[in-house]
Amino acid sequence: MPSCSAQSARLAWWRSQEAALAPAPAAPPILSPRRQLPDWSLPDLDGRSRSLCEFRGRVVLLNFWATWCPPCLQELPVLTQLHSELSSEFVVLGICLDTPPPPAPSSAPTASPSEPTHSASGSTAFTNLARAVRVVAARHRINYPVLLDPDQQV
């Protein structure tokens, strides 16, 4: 039979280990419920400015994606289904991060500094980008709003 001092030593050791085995305190939630994000706006595929505040009161899932990204394209069917099934209280916003293709070389003269400049949504580069993204969106049957963010503002 162990001595009294050996039992006391074991008991002391066990008590010191209990603190290490105790469950860790609960971590704060990663997402705060109903946390409001700052408002921003981006053009959709038709060049209309869409604002985050349009979707206030609904849960918004921001899906940052690109047409050249295979994993992004693989998740599109799931997001489309999710948006269809929960669209009354939930919306998926596709934020496409593609950049406009480089302009085709031409012999046309460049614009002079006195000519008016066009906004991103009115430029040929934007139109070409929107057209390319629209083709991919149609191919994958995206049924939720797709916004363009080539400058990665959001």
Side-chain angles (χ1 to χ4, degrees):
M1 176 173 260
S3 69
C4 195
S5 63
Q7 285 181 330
S8 294
R10 286 187 188 133
L11 183 60
W13 177 85
W14 179 252
R15 288 196 175 135
S16 71
Q17 298 305 307
E18 281 183 318
L21 298 174
I30 294 173
L31 299 175
S32 301
R34 302 290 177 188
R35 189 176 125 219
Q36 281 207 271
L37 297 174
D39 195 26
W40 45 261
S41 62
L42 291 170
D44 66 12
L45 297 179
D46 296 321
R48 290 186 307 253
S49 182
R50 302 290 300 265
S51 175
L52 183 61
C53 71
E54 289 178 46
F55 306 100
R56 197 152 278 143
R58 295 164 76 185
V59 175
V60 177
L61 182 139
L62 298 177
N63 176 39
F64 294 90
W65 69 288
T67 60
W68 47 263
C69 170
C72 300
L73 299 177
Q74 288 175 343
E75 69 190 9
L76 294 178
V78 173
L79 295 171
T80 298
Q81 181 179 0
L82 188 64
H83 180 75
S84 292
E85 293 175 5
L86 302 173
S87 63
S88 63
E89 67 267 357
F90 182 89
V91 65
V92 175
L93 282 181
I95 312 292
C96 184
L97 301 176
D98 285 14
T99 55
S106 76
S107 57
T110 59
S112 70
S114 63
E115 292 181 26
T117 57
H118 298 285
S119 67
S121 61
S123 71
T124 303
F126 176 86
T127 304
N128 292 340
L129 174 61
R131 184 179 301 125
V133 174
R134 192 178 288 113
V135 167
V136 173
R139 183 180 316 130
H140 291 277
R141 296 184 176 103
I142 294 177
N143 61 350
Y144 50 84
V146 174
L147 309 179
L148 299 176
D149 190 13
D151 300 327
Q152 299 181 5
Q153 298 171 351
V154 175

